[in-house]
Amino acid sequence: MKETDSSVTSFRKDEHILLCLENDVQYSGITNGFDDIEIEPSLLTQFSLEEIDLATTFLSKEVKYPIIVSGMTGGSKNGRVFNESVARICSEFKIGMGVGSQRAALEDPKLVNTYEVRHIAPNIPLIANLGIAQFIQGYNHVQAQKAITMIGADALAIHINPLQEFVQGEGDKDQTKALEKIVALKQEFEYPIIIKGVGTGLTKVDAKSLSQLEVYALDVAGAGGTNWSRIEFYRNEDVKYLSDKFLNWGISTKNSLMNVVDFSEGKETKIIASGGVWSGFDAVKALLLGADYVALALPILRSIGKGGIDECRKFLSTYILEMKAVMAMLNVKNLEELKKERHKILDNI
Ligand SMILES: Cc1cc2nc3c(=O)[nH]c(=O)nc-3n(C[C@H](O)[C@H](O)[C@H](O)COP(=O)(O)O)c2cc1C
């Protein structure tokens, strides 16, 4: 690797954060799709809010809520501060956390401390992160293991993001052989693997192929939240004539989730719903459709950007209150009951 590669990556990660804080980086003309799912609030509730229990396990650890903060950053001073804030919040709420792509730190070990959060959050499920593009270019279980060891992670998320790479000026244009690379890694690597998109969703064919891999979890990362083609479009003058329709191309989070659920029947693979899961109401709908967890990136980033940890705490507390209120009015007490009753609740409409 060239000396400068890691600094380019670090700079890009900071640019991404700034763009997400200061610009409209969401899908327009396409929503997460959860408004299509109607559920009815019952007046005759059987449980108080205090009785609603959202606890579950994730990566063999107990968590208080089925919520994960998706991997976003690292590799720069700002990234370090951000990851530390996220770790504090995740530890406080006892939920899972991902870090952003660790490629920069694999290229330049001086950046390792920008991802390290175990001293802040010793007990939460923590997810390492690398892109499939790096595996296509030669990474294997050795780098995957380094990413895990670097931060004391419980699992490795591998992001697959062809649309982002195609629009990004310096993006990796060869995104072929993703499946083969994951199969090869799975044979040599002992840690749980999470396969994730970054916001265009999974087709039925993708869902079928990926579910056959039987990895630990699939993160559907559908359209309706952060739009990565738009972010790279802002950064790349050379593609200024790309059409708006193309930039908003994606499968809604709801449809992406349903594609994955269809092919995961009877499999152990966990399902993570992400991509604009903006509210506790959306989150419960995702769980009703068959997700095991929801994951959030932009809403967390924006709340921290607005008012630091205090604002993020308010955001998450409200999100959880909303989830609990919806569950109370659906007359389900915990996630096990929600899973058992989900078809009945959805069919009732
Ligand atoms: C600022 C920012 C940086 C991100 N960087 C990464 C990354 O390095 N690796 C990754 O797998 N996903 C990355 N993502 C994608 C998120 O993990 C998530 O899959 C996606 O944003 C959809 O969730 P959202 O709509 O809640 O933002 C990033 C998202 C944001 C907002």
Side-chain angles (χ1 to χ4, degrees), residues 167 230 232-244 247:
V167 177
R230 184 161 303 280
E232 297 303 346
F233 171 77
Y234 287 141
R235 296 181 60 245
N236 184 4
E237 249 304 285
D238 293 344
V239 295
K240 65 181 178 185
Y241 292 110
L242 285 177
S243 73
D244 214 48
L247 292 174

Side-chain angles (χ1 to χ4, degrees), residues 13 16-18 20 25 69-73 82 99-102 129-130 157-160 164 196-199 219 221-222 224-228 231 274-278 295-301:
K13 296 302 283 178
H16 283 158
I17 295 272
L18 269 183
C20 286
V25 294
V69 176
S70 290
M72 282 179 264
T73 200
F82 181 76
V99 298
S101 170
Q102 290 162 264
N129 189 298
L130 287 170
I158 300 179
H159 61 269
I160 311 181
Q164 178 186 8
K196 73 190 285 286
V198 297
D219 181 337
T226 309
N227 179 338
W228 279 95
I231 294 172
S274 79
V277 187
W278 301 109
L296 315 176
L298 195 60
I300 298 293
L301 173 65

Side-chain angles (χ1 to χ4, degrees), residues 49-222:
L49 219 51
E50 286 72 41
E51 284 176 284
I52 305 296
D53 181 7
L54 289 166
T56 182
T57 54
F58 177 50
L59 291 165
S60 308
K61 289 184 171 167
E62 282 174 20
V63 288
K64 254 175 109 175
Y65 309 103
I67 300 172
I68 302 158
V69 176
S70 290
M72 282 179 264
T73 200
S76 67
K77 220 160 136 196
N78 294 336
R80 175 181 179 170
V81 173
F82 181 76
N83 277 336
E84 289 180 355
S85 298
V86 173
R88 275 199 182 93
I89 279 289
C90 290
S91 187
E92 190 179 315
F93 282 83
K94 214 169 169 210
I95 56 176
M97 166 184 177
V99 298
S101 170
Q102 290 162 264
R103 174 188 175 185
L106 288 181
E107 290 170 10
D108 179 357
K110 285 199 295 295
L111 299 174
V112 163
N113 68 2
T114 66
Y115 297 88
E116 282 172 331
V117 292
R118 265 296 182 222
H119 56 295
I120 294 170
N123 302 318
I124 62 167
L126 185 61
I127 310 165
N129 189 298
L130 287 170
I132 194 69
Q134 276 60 66
F135 290 93
I136 291 167
Q137 287 169 12
Y139 277 21
N140 57 28
H141 63 283
V142 176
Q143 288 78 13
Q145 182 60 52
K146 281 186 182 165
I148 294 273
T149 311
M150 186 192 295
I151 60 166
D154 301 289
L156 174 70
I158 300 179
H159 61 269
I160 311 181
N161 55 343
L163 192 51
Q164 178 186 8
E165 298 285 350
F166 294 160
V167 177
Q168 186 182 101
E170 68 278 25
D172 295 303
K173 304 297 183 264
D174 180 1
Q175 292 285 306
T176 59
K177 304 196 181 73
L179 272 184
E180 291 168 39
K181 296 294 171 186
I182 300 166
V183 171
L185 177 67
K186 202 166 167 266
Q187 281 165 5
E188 308 273 358
F189 185 59
E190 285 169 14
Y191 281 82
I193 296 174
I194 298 172
I195 302 294
K196 73 190 285 286
V198 297
T200 45
L202 298 174
T203 64
K204 280 191 197 307
V205 175
D206 291 345
K208 185 173 179 196
S209 307
L210 291 172
S211 63
Q212 281 164 355
L213 300 180
E214 309 225 359
V215 291
Y216 177 78
L218 294 179
D219 181 337
V220 311

